[in-house]
Amino acid sequence: ADPFKIRCHPLQARFSTGLGPVASSRYARRSSPTTQRIFTIFCHEPLRLFIAVSVDERVRAAASQIIAGLIKSGADVKWVASENLHLTLSFLGETAEERLPEISRASETAVSGHSPFDLEFDRLGAFGAPARPKVLWLGVGRGAQVLSKLAGALRCELKKTAIAPQEEPGREFSAHLTLGRVRGPKNIKSLVEALKTLKIPPGLVCRAEKLVLYQSRLSTQGPAYGIVRETPLG
């Protein structure tokens, strides 16, 4: 069995042994000693979770091209891998597996009344001082207000269940894809200039159709994200 796959899908894991879908870790424990050990190690520890809207391959490709242009500045930046690009709505942090049903219900309530909508990426920017950027991003124009309302509804529902999203005090929701995080001052002026001059492909639009609950696993190679559950809009 693939332990990370089980860890990322604790409620709907599949095993190479042919056991099929596993509805819960209790069922898995009855299946075999091997399965029991896997769930004991990987599913009984807190899960590092966040809820986001995913983006399509066209947006990923365009973001990768923009990152390639920014890399030419020679700045010291930790870049985000294209497969990890997403629009974070709420970061939950370390969460007990037992809270997953509550998170699912909160997500379902939050999306009720929200139909799928378009997101247009039309701006580059950075968090931090203009001359000292810290986080580089590709931002949303059209659709940003709708996404902000959805994020607000989600956070409200999560707080009703006593699950407090981890938020920076005083920071309003900003609809963006994080492209990279600046690690040091090397070639920072060239980076700032690149942010001003790089062009975004016109009509860079993707459809927001669902909320995705992700589990994040950190390693020396960088984070890896697994889908726990998807909640369709509408």
Side-chain angles (χ1 to χ4, degrees):
D2 179 351
F4 180 50
K5 186 174 183 181
I6 296 167
R7 188 181 179 194
C8 286
H9 301 75
L11 300 181
Q12 295 177 318
R14 288 181 179 271
F15 291 88
S16 59
T17 55
L19 290 174
V22 177
S24 68
S25 58
R26 180 182 299 174
Y27 179 92
R29 290 191 204 99
R30 293 201 301 266
S31 300
S32 72
T34 300
T35 299
Q36 181 176 348
R37 286 195 298 272
I38 289 170
F39 270 90
T40 299
I41 295 170
F42 290 96
C43 289
H44 288 182
E45 62 183 47
L47 310 176
R48 193 170 188 266
L49 302 174
F50 64 92
I51 301 173
V53 170
S54 60
V55 295
D56 60 26
E57 289 304 318
R58 181 166 178 256
V59 172
R60 293 182 192 278
S64 295
Q65 290 182 344
I66 292 169
I67 289 173
L70 294 172
I71 286 174
K72 293 178 182 178
S73 68
D76 183 14
V77 180
K78 182 177 178 59
W79 301 104
V80 176
S82 63
E83 63 269 19
N84 287 346
L85 292 168
H86 58 268
L87 293 149
T88 301
L89 300 190
S90 184
F91 181 73
L92 307 180
E94 300 291 334
T95 307
E97 182 190 354
E98 291 75 15
R99 308 302 301 273
L100 289 175
E102 296 173 80
I103 296 171
S104 295
R105 287 192 293 270
S107 297
E108 290 168 358
T109 303
V111 302
S112 62
H114 288 269
S115 300
F117 58 96
D118 288 339
L119 296 166
E120 182 172 10
F121 297 87
D122 61 1
R123 62 200 67 189
L124 279 176
F127 297 130
R132 289 274 184 169
K134 294 181 178 180
V135 177
L136 315 177
W137 48 256
L138 175 62
V140 176
R142 179 163 59 95
Q145 290 186 348
V146 181
L147 190 65
S148 179
K149 289 180 181 179
L150 180 57
L154 175 63
R155 294 178 184 185
C156 179
E157 294 301 324
L158 289 170
K159 288 177 180 178
K160 289 180 183 178
T161 66
I163 298 174
Q166 297 184 11
E167 306 168 1
E168 289 190 29
R171 173 173 286 188
E172 295 183 359
F173 176 79
S174 173
H176 68 278
L177 295 178
T178 297
L179 302 179
R181 293 174 172 82
V182 180
R183 293 183 290 203
K186 179 184 176 183
N187 293 327
I188 201 72
K189 290 183 179 180
S190 297
L191 177 63
V192 171
E193 187 61 28
L195 283 171
K196 295 176 181 178
T197 58
L198 277 175
K199 303 297 183 183
I200 300 171
L204 188 58
V205 178
C206 76
R207 192 81 167 159
E209 298 180 323
K210 58 193 174 185
L211 297 186
V212 184
L213 175 63
Y214 287 100
Q215 181 185 353
S216 172
R217 183 181 67 171
L218 303 179
S219 72
T220 54
Q221 287 75 41
Y225 303 146
I227 296 174
V228 177
R229 185 171 183 208
E230 297 177 336
T231 305
L233 271 63

